[in-house]
Amino acid sequence: MSFVIVQVIVGGLLLGAVYALFSSGLTLVWGMMNVVNFAHGDFVMLGMYVAYLVYSLLGAGPLIGAPLAMLVLATLGVVVYFSLIRDIMKGPMLAQILGTFGLALLLRYSVFWWFGANFLTLPENVVGGTLDLFGIRIQAARLLAGIVALVVTLGLHLLLTRTSLGSKMLAVAEDSTAAQLMGIRPDSMQAVAWAIAAGATGLAGALIATFFYIVPTVGETLAIVAFVTVSLGGFGSVPGALVAGLLIGVIESLSGYLIGAIYQDIVVYSLFLGFLWFRPQGLMGKS
Amino acid sequence: MRRLAWLSVALALVIAYPLLFSTPFQQRLGALVLLYAIAASAWNIVGGYAGQVSVGHVVFFGCGAYAAMGAYAHFALSPMVGIPAGILFSVVIAAVVGVPTLRLSGHYFSMATIAVAELARLIVTNTDYLGAAVGLSGPTVPRNVFDLSFISALPYYYLFLAILIITLGITWWMTNSRIGFYLRAIKDSERAARSLGAPASRTKLYAYMLSAGLTSVAGALYAMMFGFVDPESGLGILISVKMLIMAALGGAGLLFGPLVGAAILVPLEEISNSLLGGKGAGLTFVVYGAIIVLIARFQPGGILDLIKRRLEKYRKAPETIVAAGTSHAP
Amino acid sequence: MKFNHVVGFLCAAAVSLALAGQACAQDKTVKIGAVFPLSGNAASAGNHAKAALEVAMDIINNAHPELGNFPLAKNAGLAGLGGAKVEVVFADNQGSPATGQNQALRLITEEKVAALTGAYQSGITLTASAIAEKYGIPFLTGESVAANLTERGFKWFFRTTPIASDFVNVYHDFLTDMKAAGAKTDNVALVHDNTEYGTSVANTLATGFKEKGQPIALDVAYPSNATDLQSQVLQLKEKKPDVVIMISYTSDAILFAKTSQAQDYKPPMIIADDSGYSDPSFIKSVGKISQGVFNRSSWSIGPAGSPTAIIAKLYKEKTGDEMDDTAGREMQGFFVLVDAIDRAGSSDPAKIQAALKATDLKPEQLMMGYKGVKFDDKGQNILASAVIIQLQDGENYVAVWPKANAEKAPIVPYKGW
């Protein structure tokens, strides 16, 4: 196996970790509440702008930017839940798509109105440098995002499976009426889920901002990847999103290198559809 | 009887619209409302009546658009000749896609349809025969009336109106047929419908194919009117979403829901863009997004649903105020 | 009962439209419509174009004696129309060919514009100019490069910008000169996105280079707005071309620069095909790690006090950004259009069309480095040309080729960071 292939695979894994990172929030609300958030990509975008603001106003890097983005987005998540999601959840699925799509436009173009359409970036030295491991080059910023992706996935998984908050949330997801009878308030559990999901998404945005460009429409590019990652992993499965993200990253990278970049997404979508044929519930979803 | 009378009055007004509001832009706006109403009504068959939320309907729209432009670009034929070909492609694609994906429930079906549409867009973008990223153009100067390339929007308006009436007619016929009966049962509870012997998979597939064919007609009409199609305008995800939100906004699963949705959204879009778009601050979409959010939040069943309930309340007012009041709660 | 509501909505919509359209009874003003992507993915370029046209409007409508003999600058308004002012009505095409056409129709029929300009994306220029052709209104594009635009037999369509077939000569002659100066230029790679811009320019370059006896060695296509460009950079790193020609929009240009640095990839020479590499955001974001990149441009800021330097200053005061080639070409197209209206002495479309056909501007009357402006039968400017500029210090482009226009000598190899 040639050396370049190893580099391609490593790059694919790092890319995939980023996919997993910004998909984990989506899969959480999807699985918990059966709500598809069409504004998800724009949550990532907001996280990126928070990181940019933190840098341009305070001169600080992701050490401050990322937690702040998490906090801001978590707050926004709660606000969005109580002002919009709680009510449209009771409606048909169409109302959810309608509401979150409208929210996406509202967020995207509010940022556009405020910041303008220019492309922005964080400076190189915020998380600078490249590690060279026996000739395999790894961008420090991407490595950091990859590590955080693993930590977030593990953290969310433990939260859901090992804590009482997690079991309460799952109980609500399973049967909210029954949960209510047991004294759990579905409302607060779902608000917590939105806070966690939006917070994780904001964190992802702040980290992606360290190696990507920032522009109001960037969420559009990322949202479809997140949808595919979550469907492939299985709705609601956080570990599933990680595995699916890594898989998509590697497949994209390899097919981009071997067949040609313009065909890489064709490969990914074809494999995804083919996979759904055999296993519609995704890699780790419940059937 | 009363219903029929109202229907005639409404139809008369729709026919008279371009004569009452006769500037070229108003006429074009009317034509666009009808065009999007055709697409959204076609979507409504599978998305509204069958309850299968397709977010990839643009793939059929694109079939029609590309078939129409392809007929001109490759065979120098009238774009109209492409319409049957577009319908054929769409129905075949719907069958191929529908067999596996209609087994999936709810969101899985939606995601699968998004993936199919994106796949189609990516393939066309890299296919030279279909103009790749550059797209296909229609006749630059109309050779004869069959090129359907007019300066005025008036001929488009009445053409679209005729096709909308046919589309709604087919939908109405379908809802009153056995298929419509099955669809209602499936939408309520697929398991129950199956256990009662309704052929759920087959019925959904038929609805999907019918919807696909009609959507492709809308795509062909679109391409003829604008004389151009490229991957973004013919297969972009935004068009799928537009069909969906128009139907949802007006009232999905109601015969005239998509028309009402189009009659609100298309003018809203064009007028807010005309008034605010030139400022370049993206305010058009802030307004547009906010209105959609508000409607979803306060009227999740769509505008027509609200009107319908208001009317029922009004009719039943004297005897059942209390009952109507509770049923009105969102 | 529900149908009257449907009709009610339709009527309400139409009434508000009628109200919106009633603002067009001024004298002494010539209205020109401008359709640009003011929202959506290309909004950055569209808003720069809008700012450029507003600066041009200021130059035309107010007296600017400091610009010397620059056409339309000296006195306020248009001399040919008794000092009439020019008003640009902007419209947002939202990145959609359909919206672009709708807005062109609105500008023509509701705003009664005398001429149109725009629309950045070639596909939208195509549909918007089709409606102008049907109504007999001149449409001048200053920036859309797709070859088919001038092949439609239109009588009302004009284009001032150089197009891909012009670039072939620029790049080939530049490389020949560089080779004579001792640089290695045998293996040329094309890297381009799969948009209409990237594909069409790449195809024309590939054909052109082949005809000139130097076939392209490597063609790397990638999807635009990519999330990752590592595989493409690695492909280049492995094949080691002498020259890389980059045909990219801003988003991918930024990502490519960052990925190249991460993978420690420095080709001996990078030539960018304008677009993303001309965007001031590109220089601000990754200029420091793209030092020594060559770029095709028709814009050069010129010595202090020259008309171009003054225009650049006005533009910077307005936007906070440096003037770039794309905005410059749009502005130049607008000046050519207004110059024709001035010479026509009328806002009658047919007279403007005749004046456009008779256009014969000399290089000293232009802000862009064209050899002049003169349209052929198809409406293409036959004197359009471009120069090569280089980002030597990572902050500002300087003209380096051809020698006659050069401010500094070209530096090779590519420095990067």
Side-chain angles (χ1 to χ4, degrees), chain B residues 2 5 26-27 45-46 62 82 134 136 145-146 148 151 168 205 213 218 225 277 313 321:
Chain B
R2 203 180 147 87
Q26 289 165 342
Q27 289 182 344
I45 293 174
V46 70
V134 179
L136 293 178
V145 70
F146 297 110
L148 294 185
I151 296 179
L168 293 179
L205 187 64
M225 182 168 174
K313 188 176 158 187
I321 289 171

Side-chain angles (χ1 to χ4, degrees), chain B residues 14-40:
Chain B
V14 173
I15 291 174
Y17 167 85
L19 308 173
L20 297 172
F21 300 95
S22 58
T23 73
F25 191 60
Q26 289 165 342
Q27 289 182 344
R28 172 175 276 238
L29 198 68
L32 286 175
V33 168
L34 298 177
L35 177 64
Y36 282 108
I38 298 170

Side-chain angles (χ1 to χ4, degrees), chain B residues 256-323:
Chain B
F256 292 99
L259 175 59
V260 172
I264 296 167
L265 272 186
V266 175
L268 173 69
E269 221 178 26
E270 292 294 333
I271 292 172
S272 62
N273 187 25
S274 299
L275 294 178
L276 302 169
K279 293 189 174 56
L283 284 175
T284 316
F285 288 105
V286 175
V287 173
Y288 187 70
I291 291 176
I292 295 177
V293 169
L294 288 176
I295 292 175
R297 162 71 177 77
F298 293 104
Q299 200 45 55
I303 300 285
L304 211 53
D305 190 45
L306 170 78
I307 295 171
K308 226 175 154 182
R309 278 199 316 236
R310 273 283 151 87
L311 284 179
E312 273 158 21
K313 188 176 158 187
Y314 165 77
R315 278 189 195 139
K316 290 177 192 163
E319 54 273 33
T320 53
I321 289 171
V322 183

Side-chain angles (χ1 to χ4, degrees), chain C residues 180-324:
Chain C
K184 237 175 128 282
T185 62
D186 297 333
N187 268 317
V188 179
L190 289 180
V191 181
H192 61 93
D193 66 24
N194 66 345
T195 63
E196 147 266 316
Y197 157 69
T199 334
S200 61
V201 172
N203 286 343
T204 312
L205 288 184
T207 327
F209 269 72
K210 203 171 177 188
E211 279 165 9
K212 289 177 186 293
Q214 190 187 3
I216 297 294
L218 179 64
D219 186 319
V220 181
Y222 65 86
S224 70
N225 285 331
T227 44
D228 187 48
L229 290 173
Q230 187 196 250
S231 329
Q232 290 77 308
V233 170
L234 289 174
Q235 226 174 330
L236 289 168
K237 201 175 171 183
E238 212 180 14
K239 298 273 166 62
K240 296 191 178 57
D242 301 320
V243 179
V244 175
I245 299 182
M246 289 291 304
I247 308 161
S248 298
Y249 283 120
T250 313
S251 52
D252 301 314
I254 291 175
L255 202 57
F256 183 80
K258 290 192 166 218
T259 312
S260 297
Q261 187 197 24
Q263 293 303 330
D264 194 24
Y265 172 62
K266 287 184 200 176
M269 202 189 294
I270 301 187
I271 308 176
D273 183 75
D274 201 352
S275 198
Y277 284 78
S278 295
D279 187 334
S281 305
F282 171 83
I283 306 174
K284 240 185 251 174
S285 302
V286 287
K288 285 276 178 254
I289 58 169
S290 307
Q291 291 177 56
V293 66
F294 291 103
N295 193 355
R296 163 181 68 82
S297 176
S298 303
W299 165 250
S300 155
I301 199 161
S306 62
T308 44
I310 296 170
I311 291 173
K313 194 171 144 262
L314 288 172
Y315 181 82
K316 181 145 194 192
E317 276 166 11
K318 180 165 189 74
T319 59
D321 289 323
E322 298 293 340
M323 183 85 181
D324 64 280

Side-chain angles (χ1 to χ4, degrees), chain A residues 111-128:
Chain A
V111 169
F112 184 107
W113 178 62
W114 192 255
F115 287 90
N118 278 357
F119 287 83
L120 307 168
T121 47
L122 294 180
E124 289 304 307
N125 53 13
V126 160
V127 182

Side-chain angles (χ1 to χ4, degrees), chain A residues 24 36 51 77 98 100 122 136 188 206 215:
Chain A
S24 58
V36 197
L98 198 62
T100 53
L122 294 180
I136 302 295
S188 16
V215 75

